[in-house]
Amino acid sequence: MSSRPAPLIPPRVRAALVRVPGLVPVVRFVRRALARDRNLLGTLVVVALVIGFLAAEVSNEWFSPSLLILVTLVGGLQLRLASLVKLLVGVGVALAYVAANLGAGRVGLGLTVTIAFTAVLAVLMARTRGKLGVQGLRGDAMLLELRDRLRSQGELPALPKDWGGKVVLKQAGGSSFGGDFLVSMRDGDSVEIALVDVSGKGVDAGTRALLLSGTFGGLLGSVDDFLPACNAYLHRQRGDEGFVTAVHVRLDLATGDYTITSAGHPPVVKFDAGTGNWQVASAKGVVLGVVPDLHCEPDSGTLRKGDALLLFTDGLIEQPGRDIDAGLDRLLGEAERLLPSGFRDGARALVNAMASGHNDDCALVLIWRP
């Protein structure tokens, strides 16, 4: 009688591992992923060999060896790196079989180079997915989910009927990620808004902005001194990844009283409905993460009926070869021209007017009392 082989994991060890919280679902997920990988590998290898056989024995026109490009591409999108290498061996065998039966001239140098280039591209995609620990197109789905979360976090909380708000974010190069982001929260009649600008632009600054948006969003409303708390967090981080500027506004919806604190950020401007002029707030402070103890000089006031607060990032006023003060004057001039027709519609027009002619991340937040 043949004895049954001993299990790889002793029963006692297996029983102990089963009791570990969360371990069983992880093991099942890995097992299913490996099973799908093996099944797909076997299917693609069979398809590659069938294409090579039909191209050599039946018809080179109906079953062109160029179909192996699609097989290689699907393997690069779905298979793990080790499985992809096995698939590439199968593709090479199918291509060699066609060349041996029809002659190397029927395969052609162009097709061989194209398949080789596709194979290199597939290996790069599989290796990148292997580093991320995801399979298939899950990495793209994760990025889309992060983008949606960042957009939802950048929306203003619901305001009463006698208040209005508008947020406009425009990333450099039309990217979904950028260095400008907004965090906000409302607790009763108290609203807090923080507009943050991470150095850099586009996707290069987007990864750091994603990290900081979660951190700053957790601090907002949880601490009294928001910007000093953000500064302490950044100062503890190691490495020089560029600077971060931010402006924080705490607003009382019942009275209209507000307090502005700034850390190296462009000044907030207020529209005074009584005079019809834009006034520049005096709040200022040092860029976040530079000094251990941040000292801010706040500014305060009251929003009355018809008044508005305008927060923005330097992408709206900075242009190569021009002074920032000139950009601020141009912004206020465009605001006087566009916003009186309606704050909600004028906010987007203001960003488009200021952002035309240069490629940079831009953000604008407008709060007003109708």
Side-chain angles (χ1 to χ4, degrees):
M1 295 177 63
S2 60
S3 59
R4 180 178 298 177
L8 296 177
I9 303 178
R12 292 183 179 180
V13 177
R14 181 180 300 177
L17 292 176
V18 169
R19 289 193 294 268
V20 176
L23 183 60
V24 174
V26 173
V27 173
R28 290 177 179 173
F29 174 78
V30 173
R31 186 178 299 172
R32 287 195 298 266
L34 293 176
R36 289 196 300 268
D37 189 74
R38 288 193 298 267
N39 294 336
L40 181 60
L41 171 63
T43 302
L44 292 179
V45 169
V46 170
V47 169
L49 296 178
V50 168
I51 290 174
F53 175 80
L54 294 177
E57 303 295 339
V58 179
S59 172
N60 189 29
E61 296 180 357
W62 284 94
F63 303 98
S64 173
S66 60
L67 294 174
L68 296 174
I69 298 176
L70 298 178
V71 175
T72 304
L73 188 59
V74 172
L77 290 173
Q78 298 292 336
L79 293 177
R80 301 176 186 274
L81 183 59
S83 300
L84 178 62
V85 173
K86 298 176 182 178
L87 174 63
L88 294 180
V89 173
V91 171
V93 170
L95 199 62
Y97 183 80
V98 175
N101 286 270
L102 300 181
R106 298 297 299 272
V107 175
L109 179 61
L111 178 59
T112 304
V113 172
T114 303
I115 293 180
F117 178 80
T118 306
V120 172
L121 183 62
V123 169
L124 292 177
M125 290 189 297
R127 187 171 64 176
T128 301
R129 288 188 289 102
K131 292 180 180 180
L132 293 175
V134 296
Q135 188 177 9
L137 300 178
R138 180 57 184 166
D140 296 335
M142 292 172 61
L143 286 177
L144 291 175
E145 185 176 353
L146 286 173
R147 181 203 63 185
D148 294 339
R149 288 180 179 271
L150 184 61
R151 287 182 176 179
S152 62
Q153 188 177 10
E155 296 177 354
L156 289 175
L159 299 177
K161 295 181 179 180
D162 55 343
W163 287 89
K166 181 69 175 180
V167 178
V168 180
L169 296 175
K170 187 175 182 180
Q171 313 299 359
S175 172
S176 298
F177 303 95
D180 298 346
F181 66 90
L182 172 76
V183 290
S184 60
M185 60 83 61
R186 177 185 174 185
D187 184 11
D189 289 333
S190 177
V191 174
E192 294 190 48
I193 302 169
L195 185 60
V196 185
D197 184 4
V198 178
S199 61
K201 61 182 179 179
V203 179
D204 295 334
T207 53
R208 194 177 183 210
L210 284 171
L211 172 65
L212 294 182
S213 65
T215 303
F216 288 8
L219 292 174
L220 190 69
S222 301
V223 295
D224 294 332
D225 298 327
F226 172 72
L227 289 184
C230 295
N231 179 77
Y233 168 78
L234 290 174
H235 193 72
R236 290 194 303 266
Q237 307 305 307
R238 297 181 179 180
D240 184 14
E241 297 184 358
F243 61 86
V244 178
T245 68
V247 61
H248 174 234
V249 175
R250 182 179 284 111
L251 176 64
D252 190 331
L253 297 176
T255 62
D257 296 337
Y258 64 85
T259 303
I260 302 171
T261 52
S262 177
H265 204 81
V268 177
V269 292
K270 173 191 175 183
F271 177 73
D272 190 339
T275 62
N277 297 325
W278 290 90
Q279 303 170 357
V280 180
S282 60
K284 58 183 178 180
V286 184
V287 174
L288 294 177
V290 176
V291 295
D293 297 324
L294 181 67
H295 175 69
C296 298
E297 297 181 11
D299 188 13
S300 59
T302 302
L303 286 181
R304 297 178 175 85
K305 297 293 184 179
D307 293 352
L309 282 180
L310 179 63
L311 292 69
F312 54 92
T313 57
D314 58 6
L316 286 180
I317 59 175
E318 277 188 353
Q319 293 188 11
R322 292 188 178 183
D323 186 53
I324 295 182
D325 293 336
L328 180 59
D329 292 339
R330 179 170 174 258
L331 174 66
L332 297 181
E334 291 289 342
E336 291 180 359
R337 184 176 65 88
L338 296 174
L339 294 183
S341 61
F343 286 118
R344 187 175 302 276
D345 297 331
R348 173 66 67 176
L350 178 60
V351 171
N352 293 335
M354 295 298 300
S356 61
H358 67 285
N359 186 26
D360 199 358
D361 296 333
C362 302
L364 180 144
V365 181
L366 191 60
I367 301 292
W368 69 89
R369 299 188 73 173

